[in-house]
């Protein structure tokens, strides 16, 4: 592909320390379960100042928090629905990094700036991989 996951990780890693609460869900479309189970699984990925929160917070506990959220490989409406819930609860200074192979999914997110990534040339792809490996 174009390296969406690699870029998602890169930007998340570059920004995470500016946010007290972070959530990185790689391959979010592959998380099993119904909506409730999906939400619980994703929220179990929340960290506070770099440390995993145990037990996992619920949505109410994230109200008013400054979040950095990365959802990689969004494909289903349940993923967009959880992003909406998080954005309604968190502060305006929260930020969201969302990748998807389906551009139409991104149009379902309110107040979003879409940056379309061009395919990397082979040499550029190798350089990016070496930098992050």
């Amino acid at each position: 592909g174009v390296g969406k996951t690699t870029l998602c990780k890169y930007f998340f890693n570059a920004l995470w320390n500016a946010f007290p609460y972070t959530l990185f869900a790689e391959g979010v479309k592959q998380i099993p379960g119904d909506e409730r189970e999906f939400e619980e699984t994703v929220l179990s990925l929340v960290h506070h100042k770099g440390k995993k929160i145990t037990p996992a917070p619920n949505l109410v506990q994230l109200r008013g928090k400054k979040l950095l959220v990365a959802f990689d490989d969004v494909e289903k409406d349940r993923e967009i629905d959880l992003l909406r819930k998080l954005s309604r609860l968190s502060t305006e200074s929260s930020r969201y990094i969302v990748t998807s192979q389906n551009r139409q999914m991104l149009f379902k997110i309110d107040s979003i700036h879409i940056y379309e990534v061009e395919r990397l040339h082979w040499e550029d792809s190798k350089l990016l991989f070496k930098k992050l490996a």
Side-chain angles (χ1 to χ4, degrees):
V2 296
K4 292 179 295 298
T5 299
T6 302
L7 287 170
C8 186
K9 286 179 184 177
Y10 175 82
F11 287 113
F12 184 86
N13 288 334
L15 298 170
W16 77 267
N17 61 354
F19 294 82
Y21 292 87
T22 58
L23 189 168
F24 189 96
E26 183 175 350
V28 72
K29 72 180 181 185
Q30 297 170 346
I31 296 174
D34 61 23
E35 277 194 46
R36 183 188 56 76
E37 293 166 329
F38 169 76
E39 185 176 296
E40 287 174 359
T41 300
V42 171
L43 292 177
S44 75
L45 302 172
V46 173
H47 287 68
H48 180 250
K49 297 183 179 178
K51 294 184 180 179
K52 190 171 185 172
I53 299 176
T54 307
N58 59 42
L59 285 171
V60 173
Q61 291 169 313
L62 295 175
R63 182 185 311 274
K65 306 292 191 235
K66 182 180 176 184
L67 296 166
L68 174 62
V69 176
F71 271 27
D72 173 56
D73 213 7
V74 168
E75 186 180 83
K76 301 172 187 155
D77 285 333
R78 69 179 188 170
E79 295 136 29
I80 300 298
D81 292 342
L82 183 51
L83 280 168
R84 284 187 185 124
K85 289 177 186 177
L86 287 165
S87 70
R88 281 192 293 256
L89 290 170
S90 60
T91 66
E92 286 185 20
S93 57
S94 294
R95 294 292 175 258
Y96 304 86
I97 303 167
V98 182
T99 68
S100 180
Q101 292 182 9
N102 182 349
R103 195 169 213 260
Q104 296 306 314
M105 291 304 292
L106 299 177
F107 290 133
K108 295 180 179 186
I109 304 171
D110 301 328
S111 303
I112 190 169
H113 173 76
I114 297 175
Y115 180 80
E116 194 159 345
V117 179
E118 295 178 22
R119 288 201 176 270
L120 292 175
H121 296 288
W122 176 245
E123 289 300 317
D124 293 333
S125 179
K126 283 193 323 189
L127 285 172
L128 179 61
F129 178 77
K130 285 179 182 179
K131 182 175 182 175
L132 296 174

